[in-house]
Amino acid sequence: MIGKICGTGSYAPSNYWDNNDLAKMVDTSDEWIRERTGVVRRHISVDDTTVSMAVKASRAALENAGVKPEELDLIIVSTITSNKIIPCAACEVQKELGAVNATCFDMSAACSGFLFGYNAAQAYISSGMYQTVLLVGSEMLSQIVNWQDRSSCILFGDGAGAAVFRPAEGVLPPCVTYSDGAKGQVLSCESRHQKGWEEKVKEGSTVVYMDGREVFKFAVKQEPAAIRKLMELTGEKLEDIDWFILHQANLRIIESVAKRLKVDMAKFPTNIHEYGNTSSASIAILLDEMNRKGMLKEGQKIVLSGFGAGLSWGASLLTW
Ligand code: ACO
């Protein structure tokens, strides 16, 4: 058995900040941000939370799938910005949806979160442990971004995306995943819930720190390598892949991956101009937009690929 995505949903707060809004906060410009990142605007929550966005994306996905909340037997929420330490966001989503038969837990893998969650959902379904699975990526990054740091704040935004899986005939293809904790310091944010937290808040380490150049170099090297490895393990050819749905971190990273793989950029859909980097929600939001526009056809082969804090990265093959 494999998991088949039978419905998708997404949600972003209606409030947004465009690049000119950011230029009023830090020394930057619309031109610099567009050229270096591809971001034009990002949605920023006013009264939404990670859980409320997850619930709205989940309701849309369940409706799209024609699945009732009580049919779910597993909910995974991928997030690095959950409302509470306990209970987990997935349990709060369960409560709001009335998904009384679901087992719920969160996954923390930053921008690789939806990809790792996808693999987890597939593993659970193919083992027979769970059948009807809701996977959500939801992030309120505006709460942890350092809005005084022009080198990082220009990238991020808030949003959520969700997918519902049902079992279908098939064999689970291999996936490619990696983590490198030794390089974790290039993208970090300390918890406020630890000894000495007041000091950490004062020194500014409880907001996102990012060594942009290092993350950039890592992404443009490792993402194409992971996709090539996926092709080798699955026996697929790059030219037979219909879509490459990558984590939306920076348009230049996506363009560089396409160039290194020698694949037409037309196969790399993007929506970073609209949302910025929404971490574990980005792949799910893009998947939902493509689904709703009718761009995804039965039997199409899709590569999902993400990278992010940890460091962590990988690629998986999805047949629509
Ligand atoms: N506006 C204007 N100038 C700026 C800005 C800004 N917002 N930010 C930096 N600059 C300046 C720098 O100070 C530097 O000036 P200098 O040459 O006088 O020193 C110059 O612009 C170039 O800076 P770089 O850091 O080299 O700029 P770069 O082209 O690398 O772009 C960026 C920076 C956009 C952050 C890029 O490195 C990047 O996208 N990296 C990847 C980040 C990423 O994907 N992070 C998410 C990972 S996923 C996750 O898990 C959250």
Side-chain angles (χ1 to χ4, degrees):
M1 282 289 161
I2 54 162
K4 189 99 181 152
I5 294 182
C6 56
T8 60
S10 61
Y11 173 81
S14 55
N15 177 59
Y16 64 84
W17 292 348
D18 66 21
N19 293 341
N20 291 319
D21 292 320
L22 289 204
K24 291 175 198 149
M25 296 157 62
V26 288
D27 182 13
T28 189
S29 66
D30 177 47
E31 191 190 4
W32 194 96
I33 302 172
R34 277 179 198 246
E35 272 178 14
R36 300 291 181 113
T37 71
V39 182
V40 176
R41 60 185 199 168
R42 69 285 294 142
H43 295 251
I44 301 289
S45 164
V46 174
D47 44 23
D48 266 303
T49 66
T50 293
V51 169
S52 73
M53 293 191 292
V55 168
K56 287 168 192 168
S58 299
R59 286 201 174 113
L62 287 167
E63 195 186 329
N64 187 238
V67 168
K68 295 192 186 75
E70 54 273 27
E71 291 177 70
L72 294 172
D73 51 15
L74 176 65
I75 300 175
I76 303 173
V77 174
S78 169
T79 185
I80 52 168
T81 51
S82 65
N83 293 15
K84 299 174 184 174
I85 296 176
I86 48 172
C88 66
C91 280
E92 294 199 275
V93 169
Q94 175 199 32
K95 180 180 74 177
E96 294 302 319
L97 296 178
V100 290
N101 298 310
T103 298
C104 307
F105 59 86
D106 289 359
M107 176 175 276
S108 171
C111 300
S112 304
F114 194 81
L115 179 76
F116 287 10
Y118 173 82
N119 294 333
Q122 290 291 8
Y124 281 123
I125 292 169
S126 65
S127 75
M129 193 181 284
Y130 300 109
Q131 276 79 45
T132 309
V133 178
L134 171 66
L135 171 64
V136 194
S138 185
E139 301 289 6
M140 203 159 70
L141 297 173
S142 57
Q143 291 302 301
I144 59 167
V145 164
N146 180 354
W147 292 109
Q148 276 139 35
D149 176 12
R150 68 174 183 170
S151 68
S152 62
C153 75
I154 42 126
L155 285 174
F156 299 104
D158 299 337
V164 179
F165 297 68
R166 288 267 213 202
E169 290 300 323
V171 178
L172 186 60
C175 61
V176 175
T177 54
Y178 306 93
S179 297
D180 184 358
K183 297 209 176 80
Q185 77 286 351
V186 301
L187 190 45
S188 69
C189 178
E190 297 236 13
S191 166
R192 292 177 204 203
H193 313 287
Q194 58 178 313
K195 216 170 172 188
W197 66 272
E198 283 160 318
E199 281 309 309
K200 291 186 187 297
V201 171
K202 266 190 229 149
E203 73 191 23
S205 58
T206 55
V207 284
V208 170
Y209 164 79
M210 184 179 77
D211 183 337
R213 284 180 203 185
E214 279 307 309
V215 177
F216 196 97
K217 277 194 276 175
F218 148 73
V220 297
K221 184 172 170 215
Q222 298 299 355
E223 225 180 353
I227 294 172
R228 284 195 191 283
K229 185 78 187 165
L230 181 73
M231 296 296 100
E232 187 190 316
L233 293 179
T234 57
E236 298 288 346
K237 294 197 176 71
L238 284 168
E239 54 267 34
D240 296 331
I241 301 299
D242 295 285
W243 299 109
F244 295 81
I245 302 185
L246 268 50
H247 166 51
Q248 304 286 295
N250 181 323
L251 185 61
R252 285 193 298 139
I253 291 176
I254 299 170
E255 287 170 345
S256 170
V257 173
K259 201 169 157 198
R260 284 171 189 235
L261 292 175
K262 300 188 178 68
V263 174
D264 192 335
M265 187 59 195
K267 286 191 175 182
F268 289 74
T270 60
N271 62 7
I272 188 159
H273 54 280
E274 175 63 34
Y275 301 99
N277 176 344
T278 56
S279 192
S280 66
S282 87
I283 290 177
I285 294 173
L286 185 52
L287 197 61
D288 180 50
E289 287 187 343
M290 294 176 73
N291 184 23
R292 283 168 197 271
K293 284 181 190 158
M295 292 167 72
L296 304 175
K297 313 279 181 222
E298 176 119 29
Q300 279 187 337
K301 289 174 187 167
I302 301 168
V303 166
L304 303 179
S305 177
F307 68 91
L311 296 173
S312 58
W313 68 104
S316 296
L317 184 67
L318 154 67
T319 303
W320 192 255

